[in-house]
Amino acid sequence: MRFLKKSILYTVILIVLGILITLGLESFIAQDTSSRIYSNVNTIPTAKTAIVLGASVHSDGQLSPILQDRVDSAIDLYKENKVEEILISGDHGSDSYNEVDAIANYLKNHGIPQDKLLLDHAGFDTYDSMYRAHNVFGIKDAIVVTQEFHLPRAIFIAKHLGLDYHGLQAKERAFKIENKIMKREKLANYKAVFEVIFKIEPRGSKKQV
């Protein structure tokens, strides 16, 4: 019985410590990147490139609400002359799933010229997108566009890869961010710290456009 009580106590302590560390890491990343994140297109510094981070695309090629908000915000940046071009970085891991072309088609349908688009078909996650933006596409200054919950991690990665990137919070409609996405984001902070410490080289990261 005494062993059981100790086991329960230690388990509870470990769970509490895990929660505190997770929340502390989230707070640290938010504080570390706060000066580089903007919520208003009009106040963000200009840059050569906007980077749109991919998200889910429907089977018919339509953008999910969360992705459309990112892309619409990038359009605002371009039309307000805050950027000269847009890098689309997303998942094109199979012939049947292609975030990049779906975003490109949406942008072209909304008046963005083809020659102002850069396509990264190997932006499989946030770290890959940030790493490849610089090492493959040679982007030195950029505005990263994604939602408020995701932006601190993206800018944290960019900052600790030595990149002069700022972030714009994508305008949000009244869609619900699922709890599993928020939980996954908290856990992804651990992965981000590991990747920037060890400077992991993504697959297909050799310089090519």
Side-chain angles (χ1 to χ4, degrees):
M1 181 62 71
R2 182 178 297 175
F3 175 78
L4 178 60
K5 288 182 178 179
K6 284 186 177 180
S7 298
I8 294 173
L9 177 60
Y10 292 151
T11 300
V12 171
I13 291 173
L14 288 174
I15 291 172
V16 172
L17 283 175
I19 293 172
L20 291 175
I21 293 171
T22 299
L23 294 176
L25 181 58
E26 181 181 40
S27 177
F28 169 75
I29 290 175
Q31 185 176 13
D32 188 50
T33 59
S34 61
S35 64
R36 292 172 176 260
I37 291 176
Y38 294 77
S39 59
N40 192 310
V41 170
N42 296 320
T43 59
I44 196 168
T46 58
K48 183 176 182 181
T49 310
I51 301 175
V52 177
L53 300 180
S56 59
V57 170
H58 300 308
S59 58
D60 61 358
Q62 297 297 308
L63 309 185
S64 63
I66 196 170
L67 180 55
Q68 185 177 334
D69 286 353
R70 297 178 188 182
V71 181
D72 286 342
S73 296
I75 292 172
D76 289 345
L77 285 170
Y78 182 83
K79 292 187 174 180
E80 292 295 327
N81 297 314
K82 289 290 185 174
V83 297
E84 301 173 19
E85 62 187 12
I86 299 174
L87 170 64
I88 304 164
S89 186
D91 186 348
H92 184 187
S94 69
D95 292 336
S96 61
Y97 187 75
N98 186 342
E99 294 175 358
V100 178
D101 285 349
I103 297 170
N105 290 335
Y106 184 93
L107 286 168
K108 287 183 285 186
N109 289 337
H110 286 76
I112 309 300
Q114 172 71 51
D115 63 357
K116 298 300 182 181
L117 301 181
L118 303 173
L119 309 183
D120 181 6
H121 292 270
F124 298 114
D125 63 21
T126 307
Y127 179 84
D128 288 6
S129 294
M130 295 297 96
Y131 185 102
R132 287 172 54 82
H134 178 258
N135 290 279
V136 177
F137 292 87
I139 294 172
K140 296 179 180 179
D141 64 315
I143 299 173
V144 182
V145 185
T146 186
Q147 272 72 25
E148 181 179 5
F149 73 87
H150 182 206
L151 202 49
R153 178 163 61 92
I155 298 302
F156 175 83
I157 292 170
K159 178 181 176 181
H160 290 278
L161 288 176
L163 307 178
D164 184 25
Y165 291 2
H166 292 84
L168 176 67
Q169 295 174 1
K171 51 187 176 184
E172 297 184 9
R173 289 169 290 169
F175 61 81
K176 181 181 179 181
I177 302 296
E178 297 182 14
N179 287 332
K180 65 180 181 180
I181 295 178
M182 299 304 295
K183 291 177 181 177
R184 184 176 63 194
E185 187 63 27
K186 293 180 187 299
L187 294 177
N189 287 333
Y190 289 98
K191 180 173 179 286
V193 171
F194 175 84
E195 288 170 326
V196 298
I197 288 175
F198 292 100
K199 300 294 189 292
I200 305 299
E201 184 175 308
R203 50 180 166 158
S205 59
K206 301 301 181 184
K207 191 173 180 66
Q208 58 184 18
V209 177

